[in-house]
Amino acid sequence: MNERYAQTDELASLACAIEKLESDTVISYGDLLFRSYVLRDLVENKADFSVVVDSSPTDASNRTVRDFAYCSRGDDRGLFGTQVLLKRVVSRADTRPEGTVDGEPQGRWIGMLNVSRQGLVKLKTVLGALRARPDFDALDMPALLNALIAAGAAIEVLYVHGHWRGVNDLEDFRRAVDFAHGQTPFGSAPDTAPTESNT
């Protein structure tokens, strides 16, 4: 329980639970809806750290969009069996990381991080170092991912193309209801991307 929730950002809440984590762990934003295969593929990944990145185009008019992911390679049909690594996550679209070639992200981190038991050792060390910073209360999850990368962690990327939704405002909530009701029961037709209606 983060008793100072109203005064802190995401990492302060994670820090309240970090010492209780002892085995393979998925850390996720609490406002996510996603198709079951997204989580299944993530937990089946054998890397110490892995994340889900959505390579779908982003609607520029959506002001709530965040967590832009810069990766070692973009999403394409030739990726099967090819390792893709996260290079950096930027919280807002207008803050580009240094050293990017074209300045365009390869997608958006959807807010899911898988950490192995071995990876937890590094995660706790890095989070401990971040806690010593005077601005720790203002740090978000992208700050943790970037600190892990700076500490030498290889964070594998699993690409998806839609099939998830975050809920950040009332319009997102309306679309999330449509998304949830559009879920096909297990054993029926395969998952398909949710469709957007202009009506």
Side-chain angles (χ1 to χ4, degrees):
M1 178 68 70
N2 181 3
E3 302 289 354
R4 299 179 57 246
Y5 174 79
Q7 292 81 43
T8 62
D9 212 316
E10 298 155 357
L11 283 196
S13 293
L14 178 59
C16 293
I18 193 68
E19 295 308 320
K20 299 291 185 181
L21 305 181
E22 297 177 350
S23 61
D24 298 354
T25 302
V26 173
I27 299 168
S28 172
Y29 287 153
D31 60 355
L32 285 183
L33 294 175
F34 46 84
R35 301 297 188 218
S36 59
Y37 84 88
V38 175
L39 180 60
R40 183 175 61 245
D41 289 354
L42 184 64
V43 298
E44 288 177 356
N45 188 282
K46 300 305 181 190
D48 283 341
F49 299 95
S50 52
V51 294
V52 180
V53 171
D54 183 5
S55 61
S56 303
T58 299
D59 181 358
S61 66
N62 186 347
R63 300 284 181 183
T64 67
V65 171
R66 53 173 284 188
D67 297 347
F68 294 88
Y70 292 79
C71 308
S72 62
R73 182 170 171 170
D75 189 10
D76 64 53
R77 294 180 182 271
L79 280 181
F80 186 77
T82 302
Q83 184 185 57
V84 178
L85 296 178
L86 186 66
K87 293 167 60 178
R88 185 173 173 90
V89 177
V90 177
S91 296
R92 303 285 180 247
D94 58 353
T95 55
R96 294 182 175 180
E98 296 178 11
T100 55
V101 176
D102 57 8
E104 295 300 323
Q106 282 70 43
R108 293 171 54 207
W109 176 54
I110 74 169
M112 297 177 78
L113 166 66
N114 187 40
V115 186
S116 73
R117 181 190 297 267
Q118 295 79 12
L120 278 175
V121 175
K122 182 177 279 289
L123 181 79
K124 290 177 180 182
T125 299
V126 169
L127 186 58
L130 291 174
R131 286 178 92 163
R133 288 175 42 170
D135 62 343
F136 178 71
D137 282 351
L139 297 182
D140 57 10
M141 283 298 296
L144 176 61
L145 293 175
N146 294 330
L148 282 167
I149 294 166
I155 303 178
E156 288 196 12
V157 171
L158 302 176
Y159 279 119
V160 295
H161 201 76
H163 296 193
W164 70 283
R165 182 161 298 282
V167 181
N168 297 306
D169 58 23
L170 191 57
E171 179 61 17
D172 283 346
F173 181 75
R174 183 191 68 76
R175 293 183 179 198
V177 171
D178 294 340
F179 176 83
H181 286 292
Q183 175 70 58
T184 304
F186 183 76
S188 300
D191 284 341
T192 56
T195 57
E196 300 290 339
S197 171
N198 293 325
T199 58

